[in-house]
Amino acid sequence: MSTPMEITLQNPPDPDISDQNAVASASASAPSPPPPPPPLPPVLADDRVSVSVEACLKPSSTARIDDVRSAIERMLEKRSLSYIDGPIPVPLDDPFLTENVERIRICDTDEWVQNHEILLFWQVKPVVHVFQLSEEGPCEDLSGDGQLPSFNEWMLPAKEFDGMWESLIYESGLKQRLLRYAASALLFTEKGIDPFLVSWNRIILLHGPPGTGKTSLCKALAQKLSIRFNSRYTQSQLVEVNAHSLFSKWFSESGKLVAKLFQKIQEMVEEENNLVFVLIDEVESLAAARKAALSGSEPSDSIRVVNALLTQMDKLKSSPNVIILTTSNITTAIDIAFVDRADIKAYVGPPTLQARYEILRSCLQELVKKGILSNFQDCDHLVIPNFASMKEKLSMPEMQEAQTKFHLCKQLLEAAEACEGMSGRSLRKLPFLTHAALSNPYNCDPSKFLCKMVDTARGELSELPD
């Protein structure tokens, strides 16, 4: 999983020292010493690991994206960086970058980092993505006929979704799997692979219990892909379908409303440089199983809705620049024909112990950073180790240094264990509820806060329905 970490600098060898040694060796009259061991073979360009480096432009910037990308690539070439997820300081000695770039961040290297090792600069091929956030906010489709808006639309990347991808913590591999899938789907389309020989539909279905972040993951994925593919698609849009608005009080009208909505989406994807993401949340409300309708337990109008939805999705299959993102809390209620069309059917379950620890760790560090938990020595510089580092340190019998941080690690682990059964949504609310339960909310250190969090979590769990 992606865990922000500090970037460390590797000092390159001093070329002057190497030259002096070479001169001394050549001028010595004594027999030459044995030759040094051969250097490690250089990593071929094709063998280097591609690592994404994202650069967010300031709202006031009018610089060309290509110019900013080139400047960042030159900056990275000059620095011997180790590549780990986290921010890179914008160089103060580069007026062009300081004037135009708000932040630079290394992203999604976790898949390549094994056993706490890091990627060194000569192992990496940085891929720089430059973007500017849209501040427009969502735009509703107002039909004017008294109906609910059929969809909300965002221009991507949107300020509203900034940082959402990094805040979502799942089992290692889920987010990378979705990124790789989208990249392959768009590549196959761009290369003109015959869909009758190799089939794909560009449909993702995330299913699982409520509160696990399925909808947020869809929005964050759309945001991330709009950044990663902005060199190919100059504009990106997210269309969130309001499924409930597509059911008409008039018999047989619902199918027509679905067709009308997808006609608008079809108009969006006709622009070749526009990448469109269609999000259908709780898709079971639209794609209800037709078997239930035929048995009489569902109105026959729902059959028309399912048929219309499947027909419109099949039409979009021929459009290369659209990805359909769907979520469901009740997978068994979805029509099997829809499930079969989904390329990826990923289960998003309740957070594991590791995910709970990382979620609470990010919450605690945010409260410390913003001064909510401020009555603590050196709290401004407090960095709690991630789950893997924490487990490693707990196994060391000689771990007596940094007692405060070590004690906090154990407390945080206890809090994560006490939260078993809570959804990701509930975990994100837990720090607020804990703070609200403090007798003196203006004078609390992290250790006391974590003790109170355990009590609050147990109270929340006791109130959950069976």
Side-chain angles (χ1 to χ4, degrees):
M1 71 183 57
S2 298
T3 305
M5 298 179 66
E6 294 182 357
I7 302 298
T8 58
L9 297 178
Q10 307 294 323
N11 294 324
D14 190 338
D16 295 336
I17 295 177
S18 300
D19 294 342
Q20 292 171 9
N21 291 339
V23 172
S25 175
S27 60
S29 57
S32 299
L40 293 174
V43 178
L44 299 177
D46 291 342
D47 293 335
R48 290 186 298 169
V49 176
S50 293
V51 170
S52 293
V53 179
E54 296 180 359
C56 180
L57 295 177
K58 294 180 178 179
S60 58
S61 174
T62 57
R64 293 176 65 248
I65 285 181
D66 288 343
D67 293 340
V68 177
R69 183 185 297 112
S70 298
I72 293 176
E73 288 172 348
R74 289 194 298 270
M75 181 267 289
L76 293 173
E77 288 176 0
K78 295 177 183 177
R79 302 179 66 182
S80 300
L81 279 172
S82 59
Y83 283 76
I84 312 174
D85 283 5
I88 302 176
V90 180
L92 299 178
D93 58 351
D94 190 323
F96 176 73
L97 290 180
T98 54
E99 180 182 352
N100 291 286
V101 177
E102 187 171 285
R103 65 177 185 269
I104 305 173
R105 184 180 182 85
I106 296 173
C107 303
D108 304 314
T109 63
D110 57 311
E111 180 188 16
W112 305 100
V113 179
Q114 302 292 334
N115 302 321
H116 313 300
E117 295 176 359
I118 57 178
L119 290 170
L120 300 178
F121 64 96
W122 48 269
Q123 297 173 299
V124 169
K125 178 183 179 182
V127 181
V128 180
H129 307 279
V130 181
F131 65 97
Q132 195 166 33
L133 295 172
S134 170
E135 301 184 3
E136 293 183 11
C139 176
E140 291 184 346
D141 168 58
L142 300 175
S143 57
D145 55 3
Q147 293 276 349
L148 291 170
S150 57
F151 65 85
N152 293 326
E153 175 189 354
W154 286 267
M155 300 303 297
L156 298 178
K159 186 176 182 180
E160 183 174 341
F161 306 140
D162 188 34
M164 184 181 288
W165 179 263
E166 288 75 20
S167 71
L168 295 170
I169 300 173
Y170 299 101
E171 283 297 279
S172 179
L174 174 59
K175 294 198 293 185
Q176 285 288 347
R177 178 189 176 195
L178 295 175
L179 284 177
R180 289 195 301 267
Y181 159 78
S184 295
L186 293 172
L187 176 65
F188 273 45
T189 305
E190 287 288 317
K191 295 296 185 181
I193 300 297
D194 189 340
F196 294 106
L197 299 177
V198 180
S199 178
W200 71 101
N201 295 308
R202 294 188 299 280
I203 299 175
I204 295 173
L205 172 60
L206 303 182
H207 61 97
T212 53
K214 299 181 295 296
T215 305
S216 296
L217 181 55
C218 286
K219 292 178 178 178
L221 177 63
Q223 174 98 337
K224 182 64 68 172
L225 294 175
S226 72
I227 294 170
R228 296 289 172 90
F229 293 100
N230 64 0
S231 59
R232 168 60 183 88
Y233 299 99
T234 57
Q235 179 175 291
S236 296
Q237 293 170 273
L238 171 63
V239 178
E240 183 178 22
V241 176
N242 183 354
H244 301 288
S245 71
L246 300 178
F247 286 97
S248 173
K249 62 182 179 180
W250 305 109
F251 184 75
S252 79
E253 286 294 313
S254 299
K256 295 178 182 178
L257 291 175
V258 172
K260 182 180 177 182
L261 166 64
F262 274 84
Q263 177 58 38
K264 295 179 181 179
I265 295 173
Q266 188 68 51
E267 293 172 2
M268 295 178 187
V269 302
E270 286 177 358
E271 176 57 51
E272 292 183 357
N273 293 324
N274 188 23
L275 182 57
V276 180
F277 301 92
V278 180
L279 169 58
I280 307 177
D281 200 16
E282 297 182 9
V283 72
E284 66 270 12
S285 61
L286 276 182
R290 284 174 288 188
K291 182 185 295 186
L294 292 173
S295 67
S297 59
E298 291 287 345
S300 59
D301 197 31
S302 65
I303 299 179
R304 294 185 177 89
V305 174
V306 177
N307 290 339
L309 179 65
L310 297 177
T311 300
Q312 297 302 324
M313 285 182 144
D314 288 341
K315 287 182 179 179
L316 282 179
K317 183 178 178 180
S318 61
S319 302
N321 52 332
V322 61
I323 293 179
I324 299 175
L325 311 166
T326 65
T327 73
S328 174
N329 297 332
I330 317 170
T331 320
T332 55
I334 305 177
D335 192 272
I336 187 62
F338 176 85
V339 175
D340 190 55
R341 280 168 168 79
D343 299 324
I344 282 190
K345 297 169 277 288
Y347 176 75
V348 184
T352 61
L353 175 62
Q354 179 174 354
R356 297 197 300 273
Y357 178 94
E358 294 294 349
I359 290 172
L360 295 179
R361 183 175 78 98
S362 66
C363 293
L364 188 67
Q365 294 195 152
E366 174 68 8
L367 294 180
V368 169
K369 178 182 176 182
K370 297 299 171 62
I372 297 295
L373 304 179
S374 56
N375 186 23
F376 190 74
Q377 183 179 5
D378 294 330
C379 68
D380 292 337
H381 307 289
L382 178 65
V383 178
I384 301 175
N386 61 24
F387 186 83
S389 300
M390 177 272 301
K391 295 293 286 185
E392 182 178 321
K393 290 178 180 179
L394 284 178
S395 64
M396 296 180 181
E398 70 278 5
M399 182 60 187
Q400 298 299 326
E401 56 183 316
Q403 283 292 329
T404 301
K405 187 183 295 186
F406 180 59
H407 180 62
L408 284 177
C409 282
K410 293 197 295 184
Q411 282 190 296
L412 188 58
L413 180 60
E414 291 171 4
E417 291 170 341
C419 293
E420 184 175 2
M422 296 182 72
S423 67
R425 181 186 297 152
S426 299
L427 283 170
R428 289 290 181 189
K429 288 191 293 186
L430 184 61
F432 170 79
L433 296 175
T434 301
H435 189 267
L438 294 173
S439 58
N440 184 0
Y442 301 102
N443 185 20
C444 185
D445 63 44
S447 180
K448 293 179 180 178
F449 185 80
L450 286 172
C451 288
K452 190 65 176 179
M453 181 181 285
V454 172
D455 295 336
T456 305
R458 289 170 178 163
E460 289 294 303
L461 287 168
S462 68
E463 296 176 359
L464 289 177
D466 294 334

